[in-house]
Amino acid sequence: MNKKQNKHIYVTQPALPPLEEFYPFLEQIWESKWLTNAGPFHQELETKLADYLGVEHLALFANGTLALVTALQALRITGEVITTPFSFVATAHSLLWNGIKPVFVDINPDTFNLDPEKIEAAITPQTTAIMPVHVYGKPCDVEKIQTIADIYGLKVIYDAAHAFGVHYKGKSVLKHGDLSTMSFHATKVFNTFEGGAIVCPDIKTKKRIDDLKNFGFHDEVTVVAPGINAKMNEIQAAFGLLQLKHIDKALARRQEIDSLYRKELTNIKGISLPALPADTQYNYAYFPILVEKEYPLTRDGLNDKLRRHGIFPRRYFYPLISDFPMYRGLPSAAHINLPVAHKIADSVLCLPIYPALNAEEQQNIVEIIKEI
């Protein structure tokens, strides 16, 4: 790495707008003394995000995991839910928190998303829903998944933590399924420090979700469900409003970084670049590469070498969720059932991609991969 550069480079870093732009929001919160419980910034962000994302209704949450937990509650999901082992562990954790049994199904080798061709064989009389993940923001095969769900009478909840701003065939990917949940964690394309949301198809569903995220209170004296405290506070919401002003510029910069990686890394033997999704307005949330046998180093060897140069990629997602102690005893978690997921998990490496990554830093990353 360039000796003049001594800062660490991570796979992703939050996009931080100028600090002085945040001061007026803080002053308004301080003056109003309305810190949480659906304050004015919270209400404004819900409206503006729904408009920007092209969805009808959206309920803000303190984080994406609470959004997942609440989405399952909102649809009264029980029994078994078919999901992917190739995701962040919160996807499956949300099922356990609701007393639901995860059933893992293998992934598509090209998209890394839940493979629709494997879903039907995993359906049992106890199956009530499918929970796919738009991995790296690439849309799942939403048509095939919905067809299967309709045939078997199943609900579909999409974990869309990576899919901010993604459109598929001209409409928001968040409009597919019964519900979609989002994450606004600091490392995401759009962030509110911590945060999340559930995209709701109608106002009735949104009102139920709003009750559930506020302890189940429907009004001051009526509790309609054993809800949870999952509300987004005013400082988070204010930061989200500020982020929204800069999001288009951030997405454009991500696309530039993606393009340069593809130009420089395409013809390296043993390095495979997953294709960009077709028919999609993409958000370039991650830049995964596959380190294959023809490359001089293993995936972990390349990971270690980059780290020695102050560059910190991530093995998203390794280990698989199905390999963690609370899941590996499940029949569906057996290695023999998930060959593609294991192959991808053992070879994937996500390279740094975020708006503040400059050309010199990116070129250093490329040169280290090439020189090996």
Side-chain angles (χ1 to χ4, degrees), residues 346-365:
D346 288 342
S347 58
V348 71
L349 192 66
C350 286
L351 300 182
I353 181 168
Y354 49 88
L357 184 70
N358 64 46
E360 181 184 6
E361 292 167 339
Q362 188 179 7
Q363 196 61 46
N364 283 333
I365 297 167

Side-chain angles (χ1 to χ4, degrees), residues 25-72:
F25 291 96
L26 292 175
E27 290 173 352
Q28 290 183 55
I29 294 169
W30 196 263
E31 289 297 322
S32 72
K33 299 179 176 59
W34 196 340
L35 306 181
T36 187
N37 289 2
F41 287 142
H42 177 284
Q43 295 177 49
E44 183 180 355
L45 182 59
E46 281 195 341
T47 299
K48 288 188 174 179
L49 272 179
D51 182 63
Y52 181 86
L53 296 170
V55 300
E56 285 75 19
H57 304 283
L58 178 148
L60 292 173
F61 275 75
N63 61 60
T65 304
L66 287 171
L68 278 169
V69 169
T70 305
L72 292 160

